[in-house]
Amino acid sequence: MIMNLNYLEETIRTSKYLVCLAGMEFMREQNVAYHRDSDESYRIEEKYGYSPEELFSARMFNTHAELFYEYYRNEILSKHLEAGKGNEALARLEEAGYLKTIITKGIYNMPQKAGCKNVINMYGNIYENNACPRCGKIFPIEYIKNSDKVPLCDVCKSTVIHPGVYLHGEMLSNTVISHAVEEVAKADTILVLGMNLNSSLCKDMLPHFTGKDLIVIHKEAHYLDEKATAAYHGAVSKILPEVAESILDA
């Protein structure tokens, strides 16, 4: 594996269509707790009597909407997160024309908070498309935060608003998937941030990649690193800003 950052810098400089896949490890660097982390999972199950997967599911939303929204408000909507230096570096690279698209399963719009414009949120996000399933009216996040127990549509009155994120057990949008696949297929370089090549996002997207360079940045070595053109082991929030600074401030 090539560990010299000069290689990464040169690859970004010369790429014609650079696409980034952003993973959960990258989000953890910005203090986003992942519900499958053992400590977090145990805490949630102790508090609510259900696992995070059960709580954040279409079944819970449809059958126990009050409990679903108690969990959603307390554990999802209550987070106050900053974009972080890694996402700021991505925004700088995008603004300079190097980075074309970011694809992520994150729901907190971290790249957008840093200023990124071309972001595909595979699982939606907490800010947009909080919608009434019956009439389609869209509600801001504040409406859900300030609702009493279960947020109801103020037009349909009795219909529970669906959050703007995909829940366990729901099908992802074919339009969003197709858009992501098209971007990956156009890429000559893929930058995988904060996950290994065995992650679900990589397994879904990389079969459509026919470009030249596949570069991975994550904390610990993984046996699939050998499939990449280059692998860098360390925090994305430390490596990427250094690379962006070298490219843009030269």
Side-chain angles (χ1 to χ4, degrees):
M1 293 296 100
I2 301 169
M3 290 300 294
N4 192 325
L5 289 183
N6 292 336
Y7 181 85
L8 176 56
E9 294 167 12
E10 185 61 22
T11 301
I12 293 175
R13 280 195 186 97
T14 58
S15 176
K16 302 297 183 184
Y17 209 96
L18 173 63
V19 172
C20 169
L21 305 182
M24 191 60 222
E25 184 185 289
F26 186 24
M27 293 184 65
R28 286 191 187 98
E29 293 177 16
Q30 299 153 85
N31 298 316
V32 178
Y34 186 36
H35 64 248
R36 288 184 179 174
D37 294 339
S38 57
D39 290 347
E40 182 71 1
S41 181
Y42 178 79
R43 181 188 68 81
I44 289 172
E45 190 156 357
E46 282 286 296
K47 183 175 179 180
Y48 298 96
Y50 292 89
S51 70
E53 288 83 359
E54 290 173 307
L55 289 162
F56 199 64
S57 69
R59 181 173 182 177
M60 186 64 70
F61 173 80
N62 290 322
T63 61
H64 297 85
E66 186 174 328
L67 180 58
F68 169 84
Y69 267 111
E70 180 186 354
Y71 166 77
Y72 188 68
R73 272 192 293 264
N74 291 343
E75 309 297 337
I76 307 296
L77 300 187
S78 65
K79 298 182 186 299
H80 302 286
L81 304 170
E82 301 295 331
K85 293 182 178 180
N87 279 306
E88 290 170 358
L90 290 176
R92 292 188 67 198
L93 290 171
E94 183 191 71
E95 185 178 14
Y98 293 102
L99 177 62
K100 303 304 180 185
T101 307
I102 300 168
I103 302 172
T104 178
K105 290 184 176 180
I107 61 174
Y108 293 104
N109 278 6
M110 304 301 276
Q112 291 92 325
K113 289 178 181 178
C116 295
K117 302 293 190 298
N118 300 311
V119 182
I120 300 175
N121 293 92
M122 300 296 291
Y123 286 179
N125 66 78
I126 63 175
Y127 303 101
E128 303 171 303
N129 299 320
N130 301 299
C132 172
R134 179 174 294 177
C135 72
K137 181 176 178 178
I138 302 295
F139 293 84
I141 187 175
E142 289 75 20
Y143 188 89
I144 293 178
K145 284 183 175 180
N146 298 328
S147 62
D148 182 23
K149 295 184 179 180
V150 177
L152 300 176
C153 176
D154 59 4
V155 175
C156 300
K157 304 303 181 184
S158 62
T159 305
V160 180
I161 296 168
H162 190 290
V165 295
Y166 285 88
L167 308 177
H168 294 302
E170 294 179 333
M171 297 292 291
L172 298 182
S173 165
N174 285 330
T175 301
V176 174
I177 294 173
S178 295
H179 185 196
V181 167
E182 287 170 3
E183 290 300 292
V184 168
K186 288 191 290 186
D188 64 348
T189 303
I190 294 286
L191 193 58
V192 175
L193 303 179
M195 58 184 159
N196 61 58
L197 297 182
N198 198 42
S199 65
S200 60
L201 184 57
C202 287
K203 289 194 288 187
D204 289 343
M205 291 293 115
L206 291 182
H208 306 282
F209 175 58
T210 58
K212 177 186 175 185
D213 288 296
L214 174 62
I215 298 178
V216 179
I217 304 175
H218 59 159
K219 287 187 177 178
E220 297 183 1
H222 187 270
Y223 72 94
L224 287 180
D225 287 348
E226 65 182 21
K227 301 293 185 182
T229 312
Y232 296 87
H233 303 137
V236 176
S237 57
K238 292 183 179 180
I239 293 174
L240 204 58
E242 180 180 342
V243 170
E245 183 177 1
S246 179
I247 293 171
L248 301 174
D249 297 342

